[in-house]
Amino acid sequence: MAEKISGAVITRLPRYYRYLGELLEEGIDRISSRELSGRMKVTASQIRQDLNNFGGFGQQGYGYNVANLYDEIGKILGIGLTQNMIVIGAGHLGQAIANYTNYGKRGFVIKALFDINPDLAGYSVNSAPVYPLSKLEDYLKENDVKIAAICIPKTHSGEVAKRLTAAGIKAIWNFSHLDLDVPDDVIVENVHLSESLMKLSYKLNYESEKK
Amino acid sequence: MAEKISGAVITRLPRYYRYLGELLEEGIDRISSRELSGRMKVTASQIRQDLNNFGGFGQQGYGYNVANLYDEIGKILGIGLTQNMIVIGAGHLGQAIANYTNYGKRGFVIKALFDINPDLAGYSVNSAPVYPLSKLEDYLKENDVKIAAICIPKTHSGEVAKRLTAAGIKAIWNFSHLDLDVPDDVIVENVHLSESLMKLSYKLNYESEKK
DNA sequence: TCCATATTGTTAAAAATTTTACAAAAATTA
DNA sequence: TAATTTTTGTAAAATTTTTAACAATATGGA
Ligand SMILES: NC(=O)c1ccc[n+]([C@@H]2O[C@H](COP(=O)([O-])OP(=O)(O)OC[C@H]3O[C@@H](n4cnc5c(N)ncnc54)[C@H](O)[C@@H]3O)[C@@H](O)[C@H]2O)c1
Ligand SMILES: NC(=O)c1ccc[n+]([C@@H]2O[C@H](COP(=O)([O-])OP(=O)(O)OC[C@H]3O[C@@H](n4cnc5c(N)ncnc54)[C@H](O)[C@@H]3O)[C@@H](O)[C@H]2O)c1
């Protein structure tokens, strides 16, 4: 990969991966960009253009081998690497994430949760223990974890993000309503649910009648 | 508003709204696009361009009045309208959403949850009752609800989406891993958490070292 | 009141993204 | 085996989005 891949392309990759997974389940072993285009409601051209950022996975006159393309995109996305995670905040959202078993199937393993509330320490969620936040640095010294999900109020998330990156965390999945300020080599992926709901509200009130 | 506003602009609006809310809390009553640009890490030009899709809210030589701009963007986003919602699936995610009180502050009121599991019926989450799914149509006949959040597995979400739109729901906040097929006048806003995590994984494995 | 400064709204340019078009190559059919 | 069909990979065109530039206008101080 010579040049930097655009964000728009990366955002679409997991969706390709999902559709290829569905095709596999349906027992379909080859697909053309045109057929996939019909299912995914994107242009065939965009599919070919996107995939060719990473290599020529198809074959003229044949199309793409589903299993092969699924694997290749999986590799690009780092699926199957076994990537350990921790979750900060064992409240509703933190527990929902820790309980969701599909992440594990993709290699994302939640090893522990951390909460400031001492009453939660000692519990475990989906066999991942909940530790007091004070144990964070010790834990990260002893365990190979690069990804942390932040599921605590914005009043605390800035401070916690600082501690996480200081302790070696390289990627933050951020559910709090704050744009985290992290070192250059740390990835932040935001999930701002309230903003998603406002977008829905905008569309509901201004766009739906026009269609 | 003559022309259709681009999706990219709409996606940025809630973020402007969030920053303006923070400015209000800090007691700052005016701000220029350049100052806001510094805080938000976007270009001043983009801020002015975005806002001017909706009207000239600023004043030369002065900038923008924070309270006024906050209100205007709020109106654009439909905040303060009191929009009733229901949540389908009273599992971990559905409960996390129903318990989160900040939506209510913005006018998004969760009135009820529905679950296929009869054991959950009778419980309530944050004072919203959980009903059996079989009561869905009756409930929507008697209550003015346009927005539904879908927090159930993809195996059921297609079918439920059909029932929802048949019963008059106009916007779906979709947390399931399925691209819903809905009538043209129905809005779907997807929150695909797994895809967000895969994107993080991609960036962690291919981009972080390069920065 | 006048002048220097600040800052918007908007037009134009640049950059990025998406779509179109098609030659090259493989698969399928006759 | 040869001809026809399918379909990719990619170059070029079109479109969309972002950034830059600046005239118009308001502010605030002298
Ligand atoms: N639930 C949602 O729908 C939703 C929507 C949008 C954003 N969020 C964000 O996610 C956060 C968590 O949501 P939730 O529904 O799980 O809230 P919650 O109140 O159920 O859980 C928050 C948990 O974080 C813990 N906590 C607080 N400060 C901490 C700290 N410094 N370190 C470790 N743990 C700490 C609390 O003890 C609590 O257990 C919210 O504050 C918000 O920022 C949630
Ligand atoms: N929790 C996460 O982190 C996460 C991540 C990505 C996607 N999701 C999506 O959200 C869904 C819900 O996640 P969760 O963690 O809350 O799972 P969960 O198992 O805790 O809850 C699912 C709930 O949905 C109910 N349900 C099932 N079919 C139903 C139907 N037809 N109608 C009404 N209720 C029904 C179940 O009884 C259960 O209470 C997942 O299946 C998945 O599609 C969740």
Side-chain angles (χ1 to χ4, degrees), chain A residues 88-94 114-117 120 133 150-154 156 160 175-177 193-194, chain B residues 96-97 100 103:
Chain A
I88 312 296
H92 291 100
L93 203 52
F114 291 84
D115 204 290
I116 207 169
N117 179 351
L120 292 171
L133 187 65
I150 293 190
C151 303
I152 61 177
K154 67 170 178 209
H156 293 77
V160 166
F175 287 80
S176 83
H177 296 299
L193 294 180
S194 300
Chain B
I97 287 167
Y100 189 60
Y103 300 135

Side-chain angles (χ1 to χ4, degrees), chain A residues 32-167:
Chain A
S32 69
S33 57
R34 198 165 54 81
E35 271 180 287
L36 189 54
S37 149
R39 287 187 172 234
M40 294 187 64
K41 313 278 169 66
V42 297
T43 63
S45 174
Q46 182 162 74
I47 294 172
R48 296 204 297 277
Q49 196 81 274
D50 282 352
L51 296 178
N52 274 83
N53 281 292
F54 302 96
F57 303 124
Q59 208 161 16
Q60 282 104 326
Y62 175 87
Y64 299 86
N65 177 284
V66 174
N68 173 251
L69 189 55
Y70 182 77
D71 284 352
E72 291 288 352
I73 297 181
K75 267 187 246 166
I76 293 165
L77 292 171
I79 285 160
L81 284 180
T82 306
Q83 306 189 74
N84 292 330
M85 295 175 61
I86 57 173
V87 173
I88 312 296
H92 291 100
L93 203 52
Q95 292 201 28
I97 288 168
N99 265 302
Y100 190 61
T101 50
N102 270 24
Y103 300 135
K105 288 186 198 148
R106 301 275 148 77
F108 302 100
V109 181
I110 292 162
K111 303 292 278 190
L113 297 88
F114 291 84
D115 204 290
I116 207 169
N117 179 351
D119 297 346
L120 292 171
Y123 283 88
S124 71
V125 182
N126 196 23
S127 80
V130 181
Y131 296 122
L133 187 65
S134 53
K135 296 272 190 291
L136 179 66
E137 282 79 5
D138 285 348
Y139 181 90
L140 289 176
K141 228 171 270 167
E142 286 160 24
N143 293 273
D144 176 36
V145 178
K146 293 209 179 63
I147 305 175
I150 293 190
C151 303
I152 61 177
K154 67 170 178 209
T155 43
H156 293 77
S157 53
E159 174 63 23
V160 166
K162 214 170 283 174
R163 287 176 62 180
L164 287 168
T165 56

Side-chain angles (χ1 to χ4, degrees), chain B residues 22-190:
Chain B
E22 286 175 10
L23 288 169
L24 268 185
E25 278 175 21
E26 290 176 34
I28 294 169
D29 61 357
R30 71 184 253 195
I31 193 151
S32 69
S33 57
R34 199 166 53 81
E35 272 180 286
L36 189 55
S37 149
R39 287 186 171 236
M40 295 187 64
K41 313 278 170 63
V42 297
T43 63
S45 179
Q46 181 163 75
I47 293 172
R48 297 205 296 278
Q49 196 80 274
D50 282 353
L51 296 178
N52 275 84
N53 281 293
F54 302 96
F57 303 124
Q59 210 161 14
Q60 280 103 326
Y62 176 87
Y64 299 86
N65 176 284
V66 174
N68 173 251
L69 188 56
Y70 181 77
D71 284 352
E72 291 288 352
I73 297 181
K75 266 187 246 167
I76 293 165
L77 293 171
I79 285 162
L81 284 180
T82 306
Q83 307 189 74
N84 292 330
M85 295 175 62
I86 57 173
V87 173
I88 312 296
H92 291 101
L93 203 53
Q95 292 200 30
I97 287 167
N99 267 301
Y100 189 60
T101 50
N102 268 26
Y103 300 135
K105 288 185 197 148
R106 300 276 148 77
F108 301 100
V109 181
I110 292 162
K111 303 292 278 190
L113 298 89
F114 291 85
D115 204 289
I116 207 169
N117 179 350
D119 296 346
L120 292 170
Y123 282 88
S124 71
V125 182
N126 195 22
S127 79
V130 180
Y131 295 121
L133 186 66
S134 54
K135 295 274 190 291
L136 180 67
E137 282 80 5
D138 285 347
Y139 182 90
L140 288 176
K141 228 171 270 170
E142 285 159 25
N143 294 272
D144 175 37
V145 179
K146 292 206 179 65
I147 305 174
I150 293 190
C151 303
I152 61 177
K154 68 170 176 207
T155 42
H156 294 77
S157 53
E159 174 62 24
V160 166
K162 213 170 285 175
R163 286 177 61 182
L164 287 168
T165 54
I169 284 292
K170 290 296 174 205
I172 294 177
W173 200 20
N174 177 38
F175 287 80
S176 83
H177 295 301
L178 186 74
D179 294 319
L180 302 174
D181 187 22
V182 297
D184 267 359
D185 65 336
V186 174
I187 299 297
V188 176
E189 173 72 19
N190 291 308

